[in-house]
């Protein structure tokens, strides 16, 4: 394989990884855009989605129907879990100082990790995630596996659906209004609590799908698996501009490609450091992120 083919192959690998980061990053950026909360438990919601998919695949097998129900189960379970977390942990602190909410998000993250570790049917030990048989399609200039096709196509479809929901539905218009001015939205008759809850659900549904996709691409799961992908997705959200949905998509893709290229041409030991260095450089040049908007704070 020549240098050009290797580059294209790594570009495909990076696009696959970046699509997963983008899906997870959307949850961070949507919640922050609405309630200005960095939901650090989001990566662990992704982890729980991966486990939900795991149990479905163990019961039904790695057939196309089994994969379909694994995605459905992960998305539904993560959506319901987000409702519980938002109602019990975040809603009571909505008018409290932001530091309180941030500490609560970290606490929820630790609770989810440790609850999964002590559950008898989960436990702390890593498990092999059931996956479909890998088939590679060679195009001469590079190859792409069926798993990578599933990851890229499904991620793209979910992002398109999200874009439609946010920009062309009544719920999406309400989310934009609450993001712009929560108090005025309430006065205009928008149910703010319901809108915020829906935002959490949508973000967690995407995280559940991302968890199954991540476990399919990297077939090993454990209760701590959500920490690093969640952190990378947060970096992607900040890189693209926290609060910007297109920015989260762009940031995830950029981060995935950068990480894969560093592993291919330098060393896997530098991949994480380079990812964070890219974030620092972008924020130095454009503090609001690539597609973020500057916010003026009146004092």
């Amino acid at each position: 394989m020549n240098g050009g083919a290797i580059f294209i192959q790594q570009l495909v690998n990076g696009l696959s990884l970046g699509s997963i980061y983008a899906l997870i990053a959307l949850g961070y950026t949507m919640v922050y855009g609405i309630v200005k909360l960095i939901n650090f438990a989001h990566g662990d919601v992704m982890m729980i989605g991966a486990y939900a998919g795991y149990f479905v695949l163990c019961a039904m097998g790695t057939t196309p129907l089994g994969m379909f129900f694994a995605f459905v189960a992960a998305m539904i379970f993560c959506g319901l879990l987000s409702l519980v977390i938002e109602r019990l942990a975040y809603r009571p602190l909505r008018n409290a100082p932001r530091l309180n909410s941030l500490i609560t998000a970290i606490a929820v993250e630790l609770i989810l990790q440790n609850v999964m570790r002590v559950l008898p049917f989960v436990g702390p030990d890593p498990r092999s995630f059931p996956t479909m048989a890998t088939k590679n399609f060679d195009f001469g200039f590079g190859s792409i596996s069926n798993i990578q096709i599933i990851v890229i196509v499904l991620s793209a479809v979910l992002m398109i659906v999200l874009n439609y929901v946010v920009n062309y539905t009544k719920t999406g218009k309400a989310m934009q209004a609450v993001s712009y001015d929560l108090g005025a939205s309430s006065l205009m008759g928008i149910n703010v609590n319901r809108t915020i809850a829906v935002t959490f659900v949508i973000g967690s549904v995407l995280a559940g799908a991302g968890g199954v996709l991540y476990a399919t691409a990297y077939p090993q799961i454990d209760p701590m698996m959500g920490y690093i992908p969640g952190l990378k997705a947060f970096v992607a959200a900040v890189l693209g501009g926290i609060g910007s949905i297109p920015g989260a998509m762009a940031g995830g893709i950029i981060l995935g490609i950068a990480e894969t290229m560093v592993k291919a041409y330098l060393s896997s030991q530098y991949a994480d450091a380079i990812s964070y260095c890219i974030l620092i450089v972008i924020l130095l040049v454009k503090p609001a992120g690539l597609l973020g908007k500057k916010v003026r704070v009146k004092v």
Side-chain angles (χ1 to χ4, degrees), residues 132 268 288:
M132 302 171 63
S268 59

Side-chain angles (χ1 to χ4, degrees), residues 56 60-70:
V56 171
M60 300 186 65
T62 54
T63 60
L65 186 63
M67 289 295 296
F68 172 77
F69 279 107

Side-chain angles (χ1 to χ4, degrees), residues 17 20-21 24 46 209-220 225 229:
L17 178 60
I20 299 173
Y21 286 159
I24 306 170
M46 182 213 84
V212 177
L213 290 175
Y214 188 85
T216 301
Y218 305 95
Q220 181 172 291
M225 66 169 285

Side-chain angles (χ1 to χ4, degrees), residues 83-95:
L83 282 176
V84 175
I85 293 174
E86 191 275 332
R87 182 66 184 85
L88 298 181
Y90 297 145
R91 188 178 298 183
L93 297 174
R94 190 170 298 160
N95 297 319

Side-chain angles (χ1 to χ4, degrees), residues 184-293:
S185 300
S186 179
L187 293 174
M188 294 298 293
I190 295 174
N191 189 327
V192 172
N193 286 334
R194 184 176 64 187
T195 302
I196 293 174
V198 168
T199 303
F200 270 88
V201 168
I202 293 174
S204 295
V205 163
L206 295 176
V212 177
L213 290 175
Y214 188 85
T216 301
Y218 305 95
Q220 181 172 291
I221 59 173
D222 65 82
M224 302 298 293
M225 66 169 285
Y227 178 72
I228 295 299
L231 187 60
K232 295 280 185 69
F234 172 66
V235 170
V238 176
L239 176 64
I242 191 77
S244 168
I245 291 177
M249 298 178 187
I253 299 299
I254 292 171
L255 194 65
I257 292 175
E259 184 177 325
T260 303
M261 291 298 180
V262 169
K263 289 179 180 178
Y265 292 103
L266 294 178
S267 170
S268 59
Q269 296 179 353
Y270 300 140
D272 291 345
I274 293 296
S275 299
Y276 301 132
C277 286
I278 292 173
L279 173 66
I280 293 171
V281 171
I282 292 295
L283 292 182
L284 286 174
V285 176
K286 201 171 188 301
L290 292 174
L291 300 179
K293 297 179 180 178

